[in-house]
Amino acid sequence: KVRLSKLEAYIARKEWFNVKDELTRYMYETRGAVRGLSKTVQQKEKAEEFFQAMEATYTAATLRKQEACSAAAAASIAKLDAFTA
């Protein structure tokens, strides 16, 4: 979650490389951990929503779309909170 909180500052400064770099580092381990923690169908659905939000953030950073990237980053934090709740 620490890496996700860094994204907003990078997006505001339009540091697209840093956004993509943080996501690459974060998702390498997180994807496996979240899949391992997902036991029920409902948890697996929430995990999939989180993954899609993270991929949307990465895509928006690649396309350098600041508003879409910011919205997707906020959505990914919300989806992670929903998963861990």
Side-chain angles (χ1 to χ4, degrees):
K1 194 165 185 176
V2 174
R3 290 197 189 273
L4 290 178
S5 63
K6 292 180 182 181
L7 292 180
E8 195 58 45
Y10 292 145
I11 294 168
R13 293 190 306 250
K14 296 184 179 180
E15 295 178 358
W16 306 117
F17 173 79
N18 286 331
V19 173
K20 292 168 58 174
D21 201 34
E22 288 292 339
L23 289 174
T24 301
R25 286 186 205 140
Y26 182 70
M27 288 308 293
Y28 181 76
E29 291 294 327
T30 305
R31 191 176 294 269
V34 169
R35 288 204 191 280
L37 292 172
S38 301
K39 301 296 181 198
T40 66
V41 173
Q42 186 179 22
Q43 287 176 329
K44 289 179 182 181
E45 289 172 355
K46 288 181 181 181
E48 188 61 34
E49 290 174 3
F50 169 65
F51 296 148
Q52 289 174 353
M54 293 303 295
E55 290 165 4
T57 306
Y58 191 90
T59 301
T62 300
L63 298 174
R64 299 177 185 215
K65 296 184 182 254
Q66 188 173 12
E67 290 179 17
C69 191
S70 182
S76 65
I77 292 171
K79 303 282 185 190
L80 180 61
D81 289 341
F83 175 77
T84 57

